[in-house]
Amino acid sequence: MIYQGKAIAVASDTNTGGESIATLTFDLEGESVNTLSSAVVTELGEAVEAIAATHGLCGLVIESRKDAFIVGADITEFHGLFQKGEDYLVEMNLKVHDIFNAIEDLPFPTVTAINGLALGGGFEVTLTTDFRVMADSAKIGLPETKLGILPGWGGCVRLPRLIGADNAIEWIAGGTEHRADAALKVGAVDAVVPGERLAAAARDILARAHAGELDYRAWRVEKTSPLRLDAIEQMMAFETAKGYVAGKAGPHYPAPIEAIKVIQKGAGEGRERCQAIEAKAFAKLALTDVCYNLVGLFMNDQVVKKKGSQYARQARPVNQTAVLGAGIMGGGIAYQSASKGTPILMKDIKDDAIELGLKEARKLFTKQVERKKLTTETMAEKLTNIRPTLSYGDFGHVDLVVEAVVENPKIKDAVLTEVEGQVGEDTILTSNTSTISITRLAENLKRPENFCGMHFFNPVHRMPLVEVIRGEKTSDAAVAATVAYARAMGKTPIVVNDCPGFLVNRVLFPYFGGFSLLVEQGADFRRIDKVMETFGWPMGPAYLLDVVGMDTAVHANAVMAEGFPDRMAQGGKNGGKAAIQAMYEAERLGQKNAKGFYAYEEDKKGKPKKVEDEAALSLVNDVATGTKDFSDEEIIARMMVPLCLETVRCLEDDIVATPAEADMALIYGIGFPPFRGGALRYIDAMGLDAFVAQAERLTEELGPLYAPTDKLRAMAKAGERFYSDAATSSANSSHKPA
């Protein structure tokens, strides 16, 4: 044994040619995956020193004993490390570069055997070796830009020299994972083999290098020298890429562009100079609010996934499901279930509704074929997972039912009580409702413990969130099974308790309330949309209301007003929601009938494109008390404060269990700007004292919708935060009170 640590072991043996080969194995003690924590990186440095000091070695294989190779750096350390400042981060990265360079400079050929996921720092480890052989089931990539940083351990240096600047820019700026065939095509790996042949293939590559068939020294010169691009080629490659990537990433995500700049600055430099450029850029990005929030987002996502896993482990198997109510929503649910491998019955009382649901599912599968995600054969096979029916004939064998009929409590009650008599005693019933109380819908059920909410967001195939709503009598078994099914569908389930609007809609409608008050007082809704889109929302509130549908919004608003009359039945000239009500009464329902706050025309792809409409402007002017110019800061404050306060109330009322789940629900459910981290991280970044002061000023003018809770005031006074890591946020936060 050459070296033995808690994460890394190095042993040597003699191959068939008589050469002594070292094998460095990653196998992090007590963990299911390998990560590159600070401790593991220290061990790697020690292991490489031991290898370099061992005489008689003729080659090195780097491998993993886990199912994945290395999934990346230990992100749980990031906030603490980044708090130490720019100089520390530069020095830290340069020390890692020294270790990685020592691997690259070993006096014999080296190869990495990539058996599973090799991401971020894990992929950068593979780039240090002369050769890479990859299992056909493995994936590789550099996802750092999704965390607001860039590859800091040589990814911006070695990858462009390995696969060319254009391919490297696409990989690094996009931050996506790549399959083995794609990696082989661009030259990121040297061979792809079945997993069981991986070790033998790695040894074979070393043997061929020893025989002179593979010139590893020439590869090293290529990897450590300037890029082979002249000045004109560099300008064309990098400037074109910057324009394209800037358009894709948008103004709030600087990391992809910074990564291109790092590659560009280092294009004419040798290895060490390039690495210094990379380390400096990494450190600067690591100290930004965007990075801080995106890392926090990753951590929150891990909390949500861990909770989902805990529920799923307790769940009874869900092998056969059914959806009641076809049409667009039912078809979307059926598609999602079938595409992920869970057979589903799709029941309705009308043939034309069944056909509409099947048409929706076929359309979504066809798009997957067009994008080459599926073959036509696989599509046909997956479509057989959907069985349309007009009767309850096969419902005796169903494990879970999703009721997705019209959002009307009487109709839902009738359908649920009817289906309960057709299924087994252990079958779980769920309702895809966005507002109706689960406890209320359970009143006439014989087995209310087997019933919960399963709220999908539209469009089902795109929106990742599913709210699993626990009623007063819902059992843990029902929640567990529903969470397990949502996960099997590829969704992110978050368990919430029952209340009007549950979590997401309860939080969303105060945001719409803020919008209505602004419009009533004379703000131009088009300007509000532009300000909030610049703030980071995918669409402004007027545009979002058109997408939601004015009829849906008016119905949900009524539910919210009944449940929370003190703040959601807002006062004002026309009850605080005049513009939405006026649109509804004028039958301007939004995109569903091509007219709302905007009019809609089909673009070249057949998708609705919004255009200004004089009739809408006139309608809004009629319900406004006058015309008033608001600053961008005023608009943001009046939109965001109600949303954030309602999120706080949901946490205090135990509707949602943790800040992490609350923030992830808003990001996954309504498109809260990810780079801002969620409503509660947004408050933390501003500072609770500043947020409360802002809310109190607005309360004096606008009333209870803007009133902070007593507990929030107490937290602010005590200097508390929602996240324990909040104190490590960048000192020059961009979230200033308006």
Side-chain angles (χ1 to χ4, degrees), residues 125-181:
V125 167
T126 77
L127 296 175
T128 66
T129 56
D130 301 314
F131 306 103
R132 282 150 298 286
V133 58
M134 188 173 179
D136 53 12
S137 59
K139 291 181 180 179
I140 58 178
L142 294 169
E144 284 87 348
T145 55
K146 291 184 176 180
L147 293 174
I149 49 176
L150 51 76
W153 292 347
C156 295
V157 179
R158 294 186 175 94
L159 191 62
R161 287 153 177 78
L162 194 67
I163 67 174
D166 51 351
N167 288 324
I169 288 169
E170 181 183 343
W171 279 42
I172 293 169
T176 53
E177 298 174 9
H178 300 271
R179 297 180 184 276
D181 54 350

Coordinates of all heavy atoms in Angstrom, one line a residue, residues 125-181:
V125 N -10.5 16.7 -12.0 CA -9.5 15.6 -11.7 C -9.2 14.8 -12.9 O -8.0 14.5 -13.2 CB -10.0 14.7 -10.5 CG1 -9.2 13.5 -10.4 CG2 -10.1 15.5 -9.2
T126 N -10.2 14.4 -13.6 CA -10.0 13.5 -14.8 C -9.1 14.3 -15.9 O -8.4 13.6 -16.6 CB -11.3 13.1 -15.4 OG1 -11.9 14.1 -16.2 CG2 -12.3 12.6 -14.4
L127 N -9.3 15.6 -15.9 CA -8.5 16.4 -16.9 C -7.1 16.4 -16.6 O -6.3 16.8 -17.5 CB -9.1 17.8 -17.0 CG -10.6 17.9 -17.5 CD1 -11.0 19.4 -17.4 CD2 -10.7 17.4 -18.9
T128 N -6.7 16.1 -15.4 CA -5.2 16.1 -15.1 C -4.5 15.0 -15.7 O -3.3 15.0 -15.9 CB -5.0 16.1 -13.6 OG1 -5.5 14.9 -13.0 CG2 -5.8 17.3 -12.9
T129 N -5.2 13.9 -15.9 CA -4.5 12.7 -16.4 C -4.3 12.8 -18.0 O -5.0 13.5 -18.6 CB -5.2 11.4 -16.0 OG1 -6.6 11.5 -16.5 CG2 -5.2 11.2 -14.5
D130 N -3.4 11.9 -18.5 CA -3.2 12.0 -19.9 C -4.3 11.4 -20.7 O -4.6 11.9 -21.8 CB -1.9 11.1 -20.2 CG -0.7 11.7 -19.5 OD1 -0.5 12.9 -19.5 OD2 0.0 10.8 -18.9
F131 N -5.0 10.4 -20.2 CA -6.1 9.8 -20.9 C -7.3 9.6 -20.0 O -7.2 9.6 -18.7 CB -5.6 8.4 -21.4 CG -4.4 8.5 -22.2 CD1 -3.2 8.1 -21.7 CD2 -4.4 8.9 -23.5 CE1 -2.0 8.1 -22.4 CE2 -3.2 9.0 -24.3 CZ -2.0 8.6 -23.7
R132 N -8.5 9.5 -20.6 CA -9.7 9.2 -19.9 C -10.5 8.1 -20.6 O -10.7 8.2 -21.9 CB -10.6 10.5 -19.9 CG -10.2 11.5 -18.8 CD -10.5 12.9 -19.3 NE -9.8 13.3 -20.5 CZ -8.5 13.5 -20.6 NH1 -7.7 13.6 -19.4 NH2 -7.9 13.8 -21.7
V133 N -10.9 7.1 -19.9 CA -11.7 6.1 -20.5 C -13.0 6.1 -19.7 O -13.0 6.2 -18.4 CB -11.1 4.7 -20.4 CG1 -10.7 4.3 -19.0 CG2 -12.0 3.6 -21.1
M134 N -14.2 6.0 -20.3 CA -15.5 6.3 -19.7 C -16.4 5.2 -19.9 O -16.5 4.6 -21.0 CB -16.0 7.6 -20.4 CG -17.3 8.2 -19.8 SD -17.6 9.8 -20.6 CE -19.1 10.3 -19.8
A135 N -17.1 4.8 -18.9 CA -18.2 3.8 -19.0 C -19.3 4.4 -19.8 O -19.6 5.6 -19.8 CB -18.7 3.4 -17.6
D136 N -20.0 3.5 -20.6 CA -21.0 4.0 -21.5 C -22.2 4.6 -20.8 O -23.0 5.4 -21.4 CB -21.4 3.0 -22.5 CG -21.9 1.7 -21.8 OD1 -22.0 1.6 -20.6 OD2 -22.0 0.6 -22.5
S137 N -22.3 4.3 -19.5 CA -23.5 4.8 -18.7 C -23.1 6.1 -18.0 O -24.0 6.7 -17.3 CB -24.0 3.8 -17.8 OG -22.9 3.4 -16.9
A138 N -21.9 6.5 -18.0 CA -21.4 7.6 -17.2 C -21.8 9.0 -17.8 O -22.1 9.1 -19.0 CB -19.9 7.5 -17.0
K139 N -21.7 10.0 -17.0 CA -21.8 11.4 -17.5 C -20.8 12.3 -16.9 O -20.3 12.1 -15.8 CB -23.2 11.9 -17.2 CG -24.4 11.3 -17.9 CD -25.7 11.9 -17.4 CE -26.9 11.3 -18.1 NZ -28.2 11.9 -17.7
I140 N -20.4 13.3 -17.7 CA -19.4 14.3 -17.2 C -19.9 15.7 -17.5 O -20.7 15.9 -18.3 CB -18.0 14.0 -17.9 CG1 -18.1 14.2 -19.4 CG2 -17.4 12.7 -17.5 CD1 -16.8 14.0 -20.1
G141 N -19.3 16.6 -16.8 CA -19.6 18.0 -17.0 C -19.1 19.0 -16.0 O -18.6 18.6 -14.9
L142 N -19.2 20.3 -16.3 CA -18.8 21.3 -15.4 C -20.0 22.2 -15.1 O -20.2 23.2 -15.8 CB -17.6 22.1 -16.1 CG -16.3 21.3 -16.3 CD1 -15.4 22.1 -17.2 CD2 -15.6 21.0 -15.0
P143 N -20.7 22.0 -14.0 CA -21.9 22.7 -13.8 C -21.7 24.0 -12.9 O -22.7 24.6 -12.4 CB -22.8 21.7 -13.0 CG -21.8 20.9 -12.2 CD -20.6 20.8 -13.1
E144 N -20.5 24.4 -12.7 CA -20.2 25.5 -11.8 C -21.0 26.8 -12.1 O -21.4 27.5 -11.1 CB -18.7 25.8 -11.7 CG -17.9 24.8 -11.0 CD -17.4 23.6 -11.8 OE1 -18.0 23.5 -13.0 OE2 -16.6 22.9 -11.4
T145 N -21.2 27.1 -13.4 CA -21.9 28.4 -13.7 C -23.3 28.4 -13.1 O -23.9 29.5 -12.9 CB -21.9 28.7 -15.2 OG1 -22.5 27.5 -15.9 CG2 -20.5 28.9 -15.7
K146 N -23.9 27.2 -12.9 CA -25.2 27.2 -12.3 C -25.2 27.5 -10.8 O -26.3 27.8 -10.3 CB -25.8 25.8 -12.5 CG -26.1 25.4 -13.9 CD -26.8 24.1 -14.1 CE -27.2 23.8 -15.5 NZ -27.8 22.5 -15.7
L147 N -24.0 27.6 -10.2 CA -23.9 28.0 -8.9 C -23.3 29.5 -8.8 O -23.0 29.9 -7.7 CB -22.9 27.1 -8.1 CG -23.4 25.7 -7.9 CD1 -22.3 24.8 -7.2 CD2 -24.7 25.7 -7.0
G148 N -23.2 30.1 -9.9 CA -22.7 31.5 -9.9 C -21.2 31.6 -9.9 O -20.7 32.7 -9.7
I149 N -20.5 30.5 -10.1 CA -19.1 30.6 -10.1 C -18.6 30.0 -11.5 O -19.4 29.7 -12.4 CB -18.4 29.8 -9.0 CG1 -19.0 28.4 -8.8 CG2 -18.5 30.6 -7.7 CD1 -18.4 27.6 -7.7
L150 N -17.3 29.8 -11.6 CA -16.8 29.1 -12.8 C -15.8 28.0 -12.4 O -15.4 28.0 -11.2 CB -16.1 30.1 -13.7 CG -15.0 31.0 -13.2 CD1 -13.7 30.4 -12.9 CD2 -14.8 32.2 -14.1
P151 N -15.5 27.0 -13.2 CA -14.6 26.0 -12.9 C -13.3 26.6 -12.4 O -12.7 27.4 -13.1 CB -14.4 25.2 -14.2 CG -15.7 25.5 -14.9 CD -16.0 26.9 -14.6
G152 N -12.9 26.3 -11.2 CA -11.7 27.0 -10.6 C -10.5 26.1 -10.4 O -9.5 26.5 -9.9
W153 N -10.6 24.8 -10.8 CA -9.5 23.9 -10.6 C -9.0 23.3 -11.9 O -8.6 22.2 -12.0 CB -10.0 22.7 -9.7 CG -10.2 23.1 -8.3 CD1 -9.9 24.3 -7.7 CD2 -10.9 22.4 -7.2 NE1 -10.3 24.4 -6.4 CE2 -10.9 23.2 -6.1 CE3 -11.5 21.1 -7.2 CZ2 -11.5 22.7 -4.9 CZ3 -12.0 20.7 -6.0 CH2 -12.0 21.5 -4.8
G154 N -9.0 24.2 -12.9 CA -8.4 23.9 -14.2 C -9.3 23.6 -15.3 O -8.9 23.4 -16.4
G155 N -10.6 23.7 -15.0 CA -11.6 23.4 -16.1 C -11.5 24.4 -17.2 O -11.6 24.1 -18.4
C156 N -11.3 25.7 -16.9 CA -11.2 26.7 -17.9 C -9.9 26.7 -18.6 O -9.7 27.4 -19.6 CB -11.4 28.1 -17.3 SG -13.1 28.4 -16.6
V157 N -8.9 26.0 -18.1 CA -7.6 25.9 -18.6 C -7.4 24.7 -19.5 O -7.0 24.7 -20.7 CB -6.5 25.9 -17.5 CG1 -5.1 25.8 -18.1 CG2 -6.7 27.1 -16.6
R158 N -7.7 23.5 -18.9 CA -7.4 22.3 -19.6 C -8.5 21.9 -20.7 O -8.1 21.4 -21.8 CB -7.3 21.1 -18.6 CG -6.1 21.3 -17.7 CD -5.9 20.0 -16.8 NE -4.6 20.2 -16.0 CZ -4.5 20.7 -14.8 NH1 -5.6 21.1 -14.2 NH2 -3.4 20.8 -14.2
L159 N -9.8 22.1 -20.4 CA -10.8 21.7 -21.3 C -10.7 22.4 -22.7 O -10.8 21.7 -23.7 CB -12.2 21.9 -20.7 CG -13.3 21.2 -21.5 CD1 -13.2 19.7 -21.5 CD2 -14.7 21.5 -20.8
P160 N -10.5 23.7 -22.8 CA -10.4 24.3 -24.1 C -9.2 23.7 -24.9 O -9.3 23.6 -26.1 CB -10.1 25.8 -23.8 CG -10.7 26.0 -22.4 CD -10.4 24.7 -21.7
R161 N -8.1 23.3 -24.2 CA -7.0 22.7 -24.9 C -7.2 21.3 -25.3 O -6.6 20.8 -26.2 CB -5.7 22.9 -24.0 CG -5.2 24.3 -24.0 CD -4.5 24.6 -22.7 NE -4.0 26.0 -22.7 CZ -4.7 27.1 -22.5 NH1 -6.0 26.9 -22.2 NH2 -4.2 28.3 -22.6
L162 N -8.2 20.7 -24.7 CA -8.5 19.3 -25.0 C -9.6 19.2 -26.1 O -9.4 18.3 -27.0 CB -9.1 18.6 -23.7 CG -9.1 17.1 -23.7 CD1 -7.8 16.5 -23.7 CD2 -9.9 16.6 -22.4
I163 N -10.6 20.0 -26.0 CA -11.7 19.8 -27.0 C -11.9 21.0 -27.8 O -12.9 21.1 -28.6 CB -13.0 19.5 -26.2 CG1 -13.5 20.6 -25.4 CG2 -12.9 18.2 -25.4 CD1 -14.9 20.4 -24.7
G164 N -11.1 22.0 -27.7 CA -11.2 23.3 -28.5 C -12.0 24.3 -27.8 O -12.9 24.0 -26.9
A165 N -11.7 25.6 -28.0 CA -12.4 26.7 -27.3 C -13.9 26.7 -27.5 O -14.6 26.9 -26.5 CB -11.8 28.0 -27.7
D166 N -14.4 26.4 -28.7 CA -15.8 26.6 -28.9 C -16.6 25.5 -28.2 O -17.6 25.8 -27.5 CB -16.1 26.5 -30.4 CG -15.4 25.2 -31.1 OD1 -14.6 24.6 -30.5 OD2 -15.7 25.0 -32.3
N167 N -16.1 24.3 -28.2 CA -16.8 23.2 -27.4 C -16.7 23.5 -25.9 O -17.6 23.2 -25.2 CB -16.2 21.8 -27.8 CG -16.5 21.3 -29.1 OD1 -17.6 21.6 -29.6 ND2 -15.6 20.7 -29.8
A168 N -15.5 23.9 -25.5 CA -15.3 24.2 -24.0 C -16.2 25.3 -23.6 O -16.8 25.2 -22.5 CB -13.9 24.5 -23.8
I169 N -16.4 26.3 -24.4 CA -17.3 27.4 -24.0 C -18.7 26.9 -23.9 O -19.4 27.2 -22.9 CB -17.2 28.5 -25.0 CG1 -15.9 29.3 -24.9 CG2 -18.4 29.5 -24.9 CD1 -15.6 30.2 -26.0
E170 N -19.1 26.1 -24.8 CA -20.5 25.5 -24.7 C -20.7 24.6 -23.5 O -21.7 24.7 -22.8 CB -20.8 24.6 -26.0 CG -22.1 24.0 -26.0 CD -22.4 23.1 -27.2 OE1 -21.6 23.2 -28.2 OE2 -23.3 22.3 -27.2
W171 N -19.7 23.8 -23.1 CA -19.8 22.9 -22.0 C -19.8 23.8 -20.7 O -20.6 23.5 -19.8 CB -18.6 22.0 -21.9 CG -18.8 20.8 -22.8 CD1 -19.3 20.7 -24.1 CD2 -18.4 19.4 -22.5 NE1 -19.3 19.5 -24.6 CE2 -18.7 18.6 -23.6 CE3 -17.8 18.8 -21.4 CZ2 -18.5 17.3 -23.7 CZ3 -17.6 17.4 -21.5 CH2 -17.9 16.7 -22.6
I172 N -18.9 24.7 -20.6 CA -18.7 25.5 -19.3 C -19.8 26.5 -19.1 O -20.4 26.6 -18.1 CB -17.3 26.2 -19.3 CG1 -16.2 25.1 -19.2 CG2 -17.2 27.1 -18.1 CD1 -14.8 25.6 -19.5
A173 N -20.1 27.3 -20.2 CA -21.2 28.3 -20.0 C -22.5 27.6 -19.8 O -23.4 28.1 -19.1 CB -21.2 29.2 -21.3
G174 N -22.8 26.5 -20.5 CA -24.1 25.8 -20.4 C -24.2 25.1 -19.1 O -25.3 24.9 -18.5
G175 N -23.1 24.6 -18.5 CA -23.1 23.9 -17.2 C -23.9 22.6 -17.2 O -24.3 22.1 -16.2
T176 N -24.0 22.0 -18.4 CA -24.9 20.7 -18.5 C -24.0 19.5 -18.4 O -22.8 19.5 -18.6 CB -25.6 20.7 -19.8 OG1 -24.7 20.9 -20.9 CG2 -26.7 21.8 -19.9
E177 N -24.7 18.4 -18.1 CA -24.0 17.1 -18.1 C -24.0 16.5 -19.5 O -24.9 16.8 -20.3 CB -24.8 16.1 -17.2 CG -24.8 16.5 -15.8 CD -25.7 15.6 -14.9 OE1 -26.1 14.6 -15.4 OE2 -25.9 16.0 -13.7
H178 N -23.0 15.7 -19.8 CA -22.8 15.1 -21.2 C -22.6 13.6 -21.1 O -21.9 13.1 -20.3 CB -21.6 15.8 -21.9 CG -21.7 17.3 -22.0 ND1 -22.3 17.9 -23.1 CD2 -21.4 18.3 -21.2 CE1 -22.3 19.2 -22.9 NE2 -21.7 19.4 -21.8
R179 N -23.3 13.0 -22.0 CA -23.2 11.5 -22.1 C -21.9 11.1 -22.7 O -21.2 11.9 -23.3 CB -24.4 10.9 -22.9 CG -25.8 11.2 -22.3 CD -26.9 10.7 -23.1 NE -28.2 11.0 -22.6 CZ -28.8 10.3 -21.7 NH1 -28.3 9.2 -21.1 NH2 -30.0 10.7 -21.3
A180 N -21.7 9.8 -22.6 CA -20.4 9.3 -23.0 C -20.2 9.4 -24.5 O -19.1 9.8 -25.0 CB -20.3 7.8 -22.7
D181 N -21.2 9.2 -25.3 CA -21.0 9.3 -26.8 C -20.7 10.8 -27.2 O -19.8 11.0 -28.1 CB -22.3 8.8 -27.5 CG -23.6 9.5 -27.1 OD1 -23.5 10.2 -26.1 OD2 -24.6 9.3 -27.7

